[in-house]
Amino acid sequence: MTKQVRNTAAKSAVIEMLTVSKTALSHAEIYHQLQSTCDRVTVYRILDRLIEEGAAHRIALTDGTVKYALCEQCGEGQHHLHSHLHFNCLQCGGVSCLESEIPKVQLPRKFKLHDVSLVVNGICASCNV
Amino acid sequence: MTKQVRNTAAKSAVIEMLTVSKTALSHAEIYHQLQSTCDRVTVYRILDRLIEEGAAHRIALTDGTVKYALCEQCGEGQHHLHSHLHFNCLQCGGVSCLESEIPKVQLPRKFKLHDVSLVVNGICASCNV
DNA sequence: CTCTTTTTTGCAACTTTGTTGCAATAATGT
DNA sequence: ACATTATTGCAACAAAGTTGCAAAAAAGAG
Ligand SMILES: [Zn+2]
Ligand SMILES: [Zn+2]
Ligand SMILES: [Zn+2]
Ligand SMILES: [Zn+2]
């Protein structure tokens, strides 16, 4: 029997925050913005849960920081693969999901592809004056 | 005047280790394998330095862990962009540089591309029996 | 609404990871 | 062998992430 999902104030707050935000957010950013309305550990657990539920996905930047974004364009259900690319602005630091599909990659013989994570570093439209 | 580069035992050991290893290594892996022949901080600094010198590059996995690999196929000099892709085996956990070039990505108007980080998650040839 | 079940939360304690300043040490060129 | 300057070790932090457990809260049933 699959675990039941519950909606709590903290979880809703995180979802709301990710919904409103134009950029993906890190655990620290989310936690600070919540102004200690809930525990640091709780934020970790909410984020883990959102990912497990397929409501959010993780984005790992080149320096190792991890950001979270809601899954919107992601295919729902079994084939929940975030096959869109991410953009990390080197100026404003913003990270966003782009609609663009990830191009097909060629793998050596016998390698089996599961999913692809692609982050483009550069200058975003807002910063590119 | 540009900072002079020195070769030390610790640095050579790290380079040797990365040369021998078939997979990219994390700071923790490198440090433990060095069996406390040098300090944890030193390993951090050596890795930073290797990257600054263009001798190594960083690979960020989906879960946020960072691995290091020597730059071999990377273009030397000014255009030192690691335009090859990385493979992360979901079974053995190994991370390796693949020769395959990263396909061109399409960005929205006004976005300026600097570099691309692409990690393919899947099953490697050794694990794919 | 009340009770029950199960999930979620807070807290404390802890581990791991990464950073900084400074004095001691070691590499390089002369 | 000496001087210069990069590198290292150490100590002390700061930040990030994990775990166990008891208390609190959500959902469903009666
Ligand atoms: Zn920007
Ligand atoms: Zn995304
Ligand atoms: Zn493998
Ligand atoms: Zn590589």
Side-chain angles (χ1 to χ4, degrees):
Chain A
M1 171 176 39
T2 172
K3 207 180 178 189
Q4 145 179 213
V5 172
R6 286 184 189 175
N7 286 319
T8 66
K11 188 179 169 189
S12 306
V14 172
I15 293 178
E16 173 65 11
M17 217 158 117
L18 287 173
T19 307
V20 170
S21 173
K22 288 201 182 309
T23 63
L25 302 172
S26 67
H27 168 273
E29 289 165 338
I30 293 171
Y31 175 58
H32 285 127
Q33 230 173 114
L34 284 175
Q35 306 258 67
S36 44
T37 53
C38 80
D39 196 75
R40 212 166 54 85
V41 180
T42 303
V43 178
Y44 278 115
R45 295 199 263 227
I46 288 174
L47 290 170
D48 285 348
R49 221 156 348 114
L50 285 177
I51 289 182
E52 218 178 359
E53 293 168 12
H57 61 285
R58 215 183 286 268
I59 307 159
L61 305 186
T62 317
D63 68 351
T65 33
V66 174
K67 301 260 185 173
Y68 298 85
L70 293 184
C71 290
E72 295 175 11
Q73 317 111 337
C74 305
E76 295 295 324
Q78 17 280 113
H79 292 296
H80 190 92
L81 295 175
H82 318 281
S83 56
H84 59 274
L85 57 85
H86 294 110
F87 190 87
N88 180 15
C89 180
L90 299 169
Q91 188 142 110
C92 65
V95 173
S96 48
C97 300
L98 294 186
E99 300 276 347
S100 327
E101 278 262 323
I102 291 185
K104 295 273 171 293
V105 297
Q106 195 65 32
L107 290 182
R109 199 127 190 71
K110 294 203 68 185
F111 277 68
K112 202 168 126 208
L113 182 146
H114 182 264
D115 70 283
V116 176
S117 139
L118 196 160
V119 178
V120 178
N121 297 300
I123 306 294
C124 77
S126 316
C127 293
N128 189 11
V129 282
Chain B
M1 171 177 40
T2 172
K3 208 180 179 189
Q4 146 180 210
V5 171
R6 286 184 190 175
N7 286 320
T8 66
K11 188 180 170 189
S12 305
V14 171
I15 293 178
E16 173 63 12
M17 216 158 117
L18 287 172
T19 307
V20 170
S21 173
K22 288 201 182 308
T23 64
L25 302 173
S26 67
H27 168 274
E29 290 165 338
I30 293 171
Y31 175 58
H32 285 126
Q33 229 174 284
L34 284 175
Q35 306 260 67
S36 45
T37 53
C38 81
D39 196 75
R40 210 165 56 84
V41 181
T42 303
V43 178
Y44 278 116
R45 295 200 263 226
I46 288 173
L47 290 170
D48 285 349
R49 219 151 355 110
L50 285 178
I51 289 183
E52 218 178 359
E53 293 168 12
H57 61 284
R58 213 182 287 269
I59 308 159
L61 305 186
T62 317
D63 69 352
T65 35
V66 174
K67 301 260 184 173
Y68 298 86
L70 293 184
C71 290
E72 294 174 14
Q73 317 110 337
C74 305
E76 295 294 322
Q78 17 280 115
H79 292 297
H80 190 92
L81 295 175
H82 318 280
S83 55
H84 58 274
L85 58 85
H86 294 110
F87 189 87
N88 181 14
C89 179
L90 299 169
Q91 188 142 111
C92 65
V95 173
S96 48
C97 300
L98 294 186
E99 301 276 346
S100 327
E101 278 261 325
I102 291 186
K104 294 275 171 295
V105 298
Q106 194 65 32
L107 290 182
R109 198 127 192 70
K110 293 202 69 185
F111 277 69
K112 201 167 125 207
L113 183 146
H114 182 265
D115 69 283
V116 176
S117 137
L118 196 160
V119 178
V120 178
N121 297 300
I123 306 295
C124 78
S126 317
C127 293
N128 189 12
V129 281

